């Protein structure tokens, strides 16, 4: 773990830094565009764009956003929180930054009484935080994504009646 690592919400003036960090971590501009596409919309969660700071440098970022949960007949049931993108500066990966961001995101979701978190991600990374195949709790993906990558984490406010087909906010690519 890096010394003096702080996790806190992004400040308004940090949008460009967050964009550059995502571009660097992913080596392409797609994820940074997603973050910018959600910023300022009703999918943006107040306090849900988290940055990891060490010294005065922002070294990691995680976005929580509001997706949708639909019934089988297409009726909107409710909003649900989605995790991603998660990004850590290439030179500082594998030192606990991503884990610290994930733990803070889970804590925020818990505090805000969210029943679950959903994500599409690396099969070997997210289970350590408790994420498991989302289909097993009745949360279907919008596309036929593999169980290994389409995951959900149940939180204390979860109830088995919360089931349906999830969809990421419109700023995410539709594939
Ligand atoms: C994935 C990512 C956010 C993890 O953050 P991090 O700070 O490097 O991770 P941590 O130090 O908290 O955790 C390290 C663990 O994550 C694993 N890990 C790191 N990158 C990984 C990846 N791309 N796939 C699977 N596991 C990964 C490491 O193997 C290590 O596992 P171990 O503890 O069993 O050795 C970061 O590596 C990153 O920004 N990668 C590029 C962008 C990306 O792929 N984002 C995730 C999209 S789902």
């Amino acid at each position: 773990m890096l010394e003096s690592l702080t996790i806190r919400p992004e400040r308004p003036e940090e949008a460009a830094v967050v964009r550059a960090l995502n571009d660097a971590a992913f080596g392409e501009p797609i994820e940074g565009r997603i973050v910018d596409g959600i910023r300022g919309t009703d999918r943006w969660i107040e306090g849900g764009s988290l940055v990891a700071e060490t010294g005065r440098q922002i070294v990691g970022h995680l976005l929580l956003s509001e997706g949708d949960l639909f019934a089988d007949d297409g009726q909107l049931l409710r909003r649900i929180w989605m995790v991603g993108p998660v990004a850590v500066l290439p030179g500082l990966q594998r030192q606990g930054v991503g884990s610290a961001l994930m733990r803070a995101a889970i804590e925020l979701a818990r505090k805000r009484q969210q029943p679950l978190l959903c994500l599409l991600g690396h099969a070997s990374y997210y289970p350590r935080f408790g994420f498991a195949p989302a289909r097993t709790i009745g949360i279907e993906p919008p596309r036929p994504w593999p169980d290994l990558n389409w995951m959900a984490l149940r939180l204390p406010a979860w109830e088995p009646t919360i089931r349906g087909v999830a969809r990421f906010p419109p700023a995410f690519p539709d594939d």
Side-chain angles (χ1 to χ4, degrees), residues 21-22 24-27 31 59 61 83-90 92-103 119-126 128-129:
L21 192 149
N22 275 276
F26 287 93
E31 286 75 12
V59 298
H61 173 253
V83 180
V86 189
V88 175
L89 277 183
L92 294 170
Q93 291 175 3
R94 302 186 177 217
Q95 295 183 59
V97 177
S99 297
L101 283 162
M102 277 304 306
R103 287 193 297 267
L119 60 80
L120 179 68
H122 299 300
S124 59
Y125 188 57
Y126 297 97
R128 71 189 67 193
F129 307 106

Side-chain angles (χ1 to χ4, degrees), residues 83-166:
V83 180
V86 189
V88 175
L89 277 183
L92 294 170
Q93 291 175 3
R94 302 186 177 217
Q95 295 183 59
V97 177
S99 297
L101 283 162
M102 277 304 306
R103 287 193 297 267
I106 292 166
E107 187 51 31
L108 181 66
R110 204 188 292 268
K111 274 191 190 147
R112 303 257 183 109
Q113 303 292 316
Q114 288 300 307
L116 75 168
L117 288 171
C118 292
L119 60 80
L120 179 68
H122 299 300
S124 59
Y125 188 57
Y126 297 97
R128 71 189 67 193
F129 307 106
F131 283 83
R135 278 194 194 88
T136 61
I137 58 162
I139 307 293
E140 297 291 325
R143 303 275 173 276
W145 294 328
D147 273 347
L148 282 174
N149 305 107
W150 171 242
M151 290 176 262
L153 174 68
R154 282 182 283 182
L155 297 170
W158 179 80
E159 289 172 24
T161 51
I162 301 172
R163 305 172 72 85
V165 182

